[in-house]
Amino acid sequence: MGKVLMKGNEAIGEAAIRAGCLNYFAYPITPQSEVAEYLSRRMPEVGGMFLQGESEVAVAYMLFGASACGERVFTTSSSPGISLMSEGISYVAGAQCPVVFVNIIRGGPGLGGILPSQGDYFQATKGGGHGDYRLLVMAPASVQETVEMVMMAFPLAEKYRNPVMILGDGLIGQMMEPVEFPDHLRTEPTNKDDWATNGMDTRKDNKQNLVKSLYLDPTQLNDHNLLLKAKYERMKQEDVRYEPYNTDTDYKVLIISYGTMSRVCRTAIDNLKAEGLEVGMIRPQTLFPFPEKAIHDAAIKESCKAVISIEMSMGQMVEDVERCVQGKRPVEWYGKCGGDVPTPEEIMDVVRNWKLET
Amino acid sequence: MGKVLMKGNEAIGEAAIRAGCLNYFAYPITPQSEVAEYLSRRMPEVGGMFLQGESEVAVAYMLFGASACGERVFTTSSSPGISLMSEGISYVAGAQCPVVFVNIIRGGPGLGGILPSQGDYFQATKGGGHGDYRLLVMAPASVQETVEMVMMAFPLAEKYRNPVMILGDGLIGQMMEPVEFPDHLRTEPTNKDDWATNGMDTRKDNKQNLVKSLYLDPTQLNDHNLLLKAKYERMKQEDVRYEPYNTDTDYKVLIISYGTMSRVCRTAIDNLKAEGLEVGMIRPQTLFPFPEKAIHDAAIKESCKAVISIEMSMGQMVEDVERCVQGKRPVEWYGKCGGDVPTPEEIMDVVRNWKLET
Amino acid sequence: MGKVLMKGNEAIGEAAIRAGCLNYFAYPITPQSEVAEYLSRRMPEVGGMFLQGESEVAVAYMLFGASACGERVFTTSSSPGISLMSEGISYVAGAQCPVVFVNIIRGGPGLGGILPSQGDYFQATKGGGHGDYRLLVMAPASVQETVEMVMMAFPLAEKYRNPVMILGDGLIGQMMEPVEFPDHLRTEPTNKDDWATNGMDTRKDNKQNLVKSLYLDPTQLNDHNLLLKAKYERMKQEDVRYEPYNTDTDYKVLIISYGTMSRVCRTAIDNLKAEGLEVGMIRPQTLFPFPEKAIHDAAIKESCKAVISIEMSMGQMVEDVERCVQGKRPVEWYGKCGGDVPTPEEIMDVVRNWKLET
Amino acid sequence: MGKVLMKGNEAIGEAAIRAGCLNYFAYPITPQSEVAEYLSRRMPEVGGMFLQGESEVAVAYMLFGASACGERVFTTSSSPGISLMSEGISYVAGAQCPVVFVNIIRGGPGLGGILPSQGDYFQATKGGGHGDYRLLVMAPASVQETVEMVMMAFPLAEKYRNPVMILGDGLIGQMMEPVEFPDHLRTEPTNKDDWATNGMDTRKDNKQNLVKSLYLDPTQLNDHNLLLKAKYERMKQEDVRYEPYNTDTDYKVLIISYGTMSRVCRTAIDNLKAEGLEVGMIRPQTLFPFPEKAIHDAAIKESCKAVISIEMSMGQMVEDVERCVQGKRPVEWYGKCGGDVPTPEEIMDVVRNWKLET
């Protein structure tokens, strides 16, 4: 199959199916209800299952249960819905279940609005739920990348036995772009007999598996947390993803930006280049693990005078950027959080101001 | 009234009453159910109200509703219970309601265990719920300090029209200590006629108030987020609290630690001093706003060779410490997260290792 | 206090308060939400309590819990809401808790409509919930009678330790009539120390009470059901209530009708009398216990040729009338069930037809 | 397939599948949880679906939704679970959806016990939910008859577009008997294109269907109720089922009994015959429509001196028997309701007493 023109939300649903995931649990919420609409029609065609829960709380535990049985499962929701799943996400992470979550962020906090936002960065990367756990978080910048990240999410979740979150925004969900679904990203679940409660079959010589997050013995719970920590450290070694842009120049300013926001930044960078001002960008594709070294190294390039975190949030990723830059360059934040995406002109002004100051 | 011997969980309940809060909504969960037990008996004696919700989700919206009417309200819960409130907390923050939350953390993630932990640091300080918002977070290290922080929480919540969270752990809740309830911390709600839906009374010349978190217009939602951001910046100016310990010496190592963990660190510091090794400590009393400048300044003291964040979590506060220290000193983490509190001997070993290395 | 002009739904709320009931749990539903509106304002004025549950299922168990503690409690709802309480009503009846239910019936089945109906006759008198139990059911025909029945409901419920239901319809709830609240109907709870879990107080020498509906031993459960049956038999002896109308004449036809429907029948009877046709009526005021003997005796009067059950339902009470009349006179049904109340003219036609036929 | 030995609860599940129903929604409750256990394993083998709801309230609406789409659906539950479905049952009946309910009754009211009972006779036959509606109710007396009634239930439900209830008791569910699944009872859904929302397919020339229970216009709602009433009258004409026993003799006493209770009565009748006392029995197989004429005619046989309704309930069916007998013979009740089934000896004593008295 070649390229087809699809809306982001529909492409998300199709990508999950192409990735071999036939179980979708969800509760509708703007701006991503089209995923449910699409899959309510599409899942039966491929022998898959879409079950709408009574609430997002219910959905989280449906995901937990089905995943614990070794099935590939995923959900899609938007900000308030993800909050309602917070307890369940913590359980899923604690019990090491490879569930895939897609959060098409809307403006917050509270009901907020229904337009694009990146306001759930902290929730996704620092764990909205309680306890020490991390999600592997990917942030796509196009419909095609969304498709690929959704397809990669399942084997990554299984590699680490850890939930994976795709963090998009309403633009990703609503925009139409030509996409293809790469065959090589179609994978099979690999290790479920080792841990899932998928039935004891004498032919398969299965062992008795137990999926749980309860460890009443403090030593066992500490050991369990150390095991989780080791997984997160391994993610930092093996699965950091980012895209540099215009970093082979003597850029004066380094932008850190992700998702659809980074596309606007690219335009600004191109325009500024035409004006004679070089600006580099590191676009994190994984928000956790965060491209700490890449950002640090790009920041300390001699030509670079400042680092700006440009976000559709009120200053969240900038904290991670500050951690990476380690005080070696000034770190600033620019952002908006209401649904209006900052324009290239705004970005250009922000950068020019820095040039003036430095 | 002088000093009385009370269990931490009971003192929390009594402190809320002494602070003038007569509305308590909660759902029981170990290790803090004694608060509900205490208040189910005590609230009727003082004409107050304790209402147990059907679930933590319900409790969050009871708090929202009652607070929006201008009443002082609070709840107590433990980690999974707080996760279930995440959507509601985001609504409460977005609608600027001065609700007080007490989280007596248990080990996580998921069901985890019921012993002490500090694993919810990220959830409390980076916003477990969706969207750009912050809680003002205080972390007591004794029952007396818990009482005082609970009593201060109500006027602070009203000062900022922002939820406040007290972050304790099972030790705080279970330990018995002599406490007193300072009269000067008994306050009256100050500004509710300005914003709460507490009835339009012609005598009071009330204006028509609307409490909401929904802003469909992107400019309004951005303005609303800027207003919230300005509040958080003001917190950083006016309400950072921390306690230095042994920082008037030429300490070789600086410990950052909070809550009951910091009491063990004090013992370790005293013991190391007796051995001839000076160690300083900054104990954050507010986790948000975080004592950024105090930690930075203490870290760059010439004698200081290293900073260690000691936590009953797998490396959460350490990220904030790294941000503050700005690469000027090595920053390390030490912690446990299962319910066993690290001993003074363990802390001493950790510090001694650093001395050797540096 | 003399007569005041009140809407039926408001009078219901005020009557409960005047009867000494200060606990109201409810979930709003048309056409009786005005009760909740009235009591949300009025209960605080008298030191009472109105708590809106998350659903009618929740409300039923709030009633159960508070009643088991010895408090006078009541709720109001309409047809679908009562169905949702069915499990709880069975529990309350099984555990012998004196809860008062008011059902302002709307047209059914399912969502039906919001106009007056008597379609819940079976549900009320034969037990909507599972198992052998009965409610004492009263059906008022005016706002004044509604007030009196609500006020009588509490001592009756306590006399039998059995739930009581007031069965009204939308007309009762919406019509305005002058009412008074008779002082002699203001009563005190009488026997709660004998059975309620209202605290063990050494001064009161309370015994340890247990309120439950679970009896796993078959002999105990049978004995329990026999005890309940004995109560229902006692109701039939002591608390049957009905109102005869025009029965001192040589009526040709006997009408059985209750509630607001009976008021239309009175007009029809008066009109027919003017035409020279005598018609009698027995109006059951209690639907359980049903006025079996009164109806039987009135039916077998020599002049009487037929009995007609006139209902705003599709033939429910007529089954009880058939049982009473024992085949000694033809028994017919006339009714409507959509919200339009049959007119006096329709009733007159129905009766005239019978005269022709007999 | 010939006879197989099966437990009643398992046979219920298998019978539904054999009848062509591949959709089962349920929430477990003693004493019928084996149906869910059986179908959780069996449904996937036949390409069917078992979905456990969050509660019985949820299950009722899953049934409603799936049935409205034209699928054959059923559930099984026990007394309190059926009460929780009451609102939903009324909706399903109002919207004319052919759902099949199986109620394996346990002792009530409230939690009651888990042993056999017939205490839900009223709830099943008079409509536990609100509004004017009836279920077609069948009561089997053996596992084989249960199988056949379950298989007949689906086409009957479709014939009338009305819910059907199978009323069993714990004995039916737990006993093991050899059963066969008659091929001629395997049927296909017949009329769903006429009313169900099963998709508009141009090839099928479907019309636009609407499934609802809401009729705000009083005339429409009355018409709707008249249409429902006409269906119930048709059931009385076409689908009354009962089994006479020993009624070709000059019996002195007529027993009315159903379900497993009737099997004990048969033994008592056989024993009394051996003693020289003839006793007849009418066993209703449909409880609604009730075999009114059959009972009336059997009661007025000249030899017959009395009619006894023998029930595992506290006097429910006896009201219908009284209605049928029309005062032409004395009607008595004998029963127990705790889980102990009356023995043949008890029944014989009851009958002998009547002989003495008459």
Side-chain angles (χ1 to χ4, degrees), chain C residues 39-350:
Chain C
L39 289 176
S40 67
R41 190 177 68 244
R42 186 75 175 107
M43 275 294 187
E45 293 176 4
V46 295
M49 197 273 304
F50 162 32
L51 180 52
Q52 180 177 323
E54 285 197 2
S55 68
E56 286 90 346
V57 176
V59 165
Y61 289 97
M62 290 172 171
L63 293 164
F64 187 6
S67 176
C69 297
E71 292 293 312
R72 281 191 169 172
V73 298
F74 88 117
T75 193
T76 62
S77 189
S78 181
S79 311
I82 297 292
S83 291
L84 283 169
M85 295 184 198
S86 292
E87 192 204 32
I89 292 174
S90 178
Y91 277 56
V92 162
Q96 303 191 76
C97 288
V99 178
V100 173
F101 296 87
V102 179
N103 180 4
I104 301 298
I105 310 177
R106 54 190 271 177
L111 272 175
I114 59 171
L115 293 171
S117 166
Q118 296 180 325
D120 301 352
Y121 176 91
F122 272 154
Q123 187 188 46
T125 63
K126 312 292 180 195
H130 60 285
D132 287 280
Y133 73 91
R134 299 281 196 165
L135 306 176
L136 195 159
V137 184
M138 292 189 282
S142 68
V143 180
Q144 181 62 39
E145 193 175 40
T146 304
V147 161
E148 292 170 15
M149 284 181 172
V150 168
M151 294 184 80
M152 287 188 301
F154 295 96
L156 276 171
E158 287 157 9
K159 173 181 176 183
Y160 292 108
R161 285 190 57 198
N162 202 72
V164 170
M165 180 171 278
I166 310 292
L167 206 62
D169 56 57
L171 283 176
I172 286 287
Q174 300 302 326
M175 70 172 73
M176 291 193 82
E177 292 186 337
V179 290
E180 62 185 342
F181 300 90
D183 278 343
H184 71 277
L185 293 181
R186 170 153 211 138
T187 54
E188 292 295 324
T190 48
N191 56 357
K192 66 183 184 184
D193 288 350
D194 298 342
W195 59 270
T197 59
N198 59 343
M200 294 179 64
D201 185 331
T202 48
R203 288 164 302 160
K204 286 192 287 178
D205 199 23
N206 278 16
K207 63 186 169 63
Q208 198 166 2
N209 290 324
L210 177 61
V211 177
K212 66 163 186 173
S213 69
L214 180 70
Y215 295 88
L216 288 175
D217 177 77
T219 307
Q220 284 185 10
L221 181 53
N222 194 52
D223 288 349
H224 178 61
N225 269 299
L226 288 170
L227 181 154
L228 297 180
K229 186 177 173 63
K231 294 198 310 189
Y232 308 138
E233 295 304 322
R234 188 178 162 211
M235 288 179 195
K236 293 179 186 175
Q237 298 305 318
E238 301 180 12
D239 281 292
V240 172
R241 281 179 179 76
Y242 63 94
E243 187 189 45
Y245 188 70
N246 203 40
T247 50
D248 52 357
T249 63
D250 283 333
Y251 48 87
K252 293 276 192 287
V253 169
L254 177 68
I255 285 175
I256 316 296
S257 187
Y258 69 96
T260 51
M261 187 68 250
S262 69
R263 293 171 73 154
V264 183
C265 291
R266 271 173 104 119
T267 304
I269 290 170
D270 293 348
N271 293 350
L272 289 168
K273 192 186 197 80
E275 294 181 5
L277 174 59
E278 295 291 355
V279 178
M281 177 164 71
I282 299 288
R283 172 172 77 90
Q285 291 166 301
T286 51
L287 301 181
F288 185 89
F290 196 66
E292 302 184 358
K293 187 173 181 309
I295 290 173
H296 177 266
D297 292 352
I300 61 174
K301 189 163 188 173
E302 207 180 330
S303 64
C304 180
K305 303 301 177 200
V307 182
I308 314 178
S309 179
I310 299 185
E311 321 167 20
M312 290 194 293
S313 54
M314 284 290 136
Q316 299 192 14
M317 182 172 65
V318 66
E319 289 199 1
D320 280 326
V321 175
E322 285 175 344
R323 275 200 310 115
C324 300
V325 176
Q326 293 271 297
K328 290 170 185 164
R329 292 292 182 281
V331 173
E332 269 301 315
W333 162 83
Y334 181 74
K336 266 189 174 170
C337 194
D340 278 340
V341 183
T343 61
E345 290 66 34
E346 279 177 79
I347 310 297
M348 290 163 70
D349 280 348
V350 170

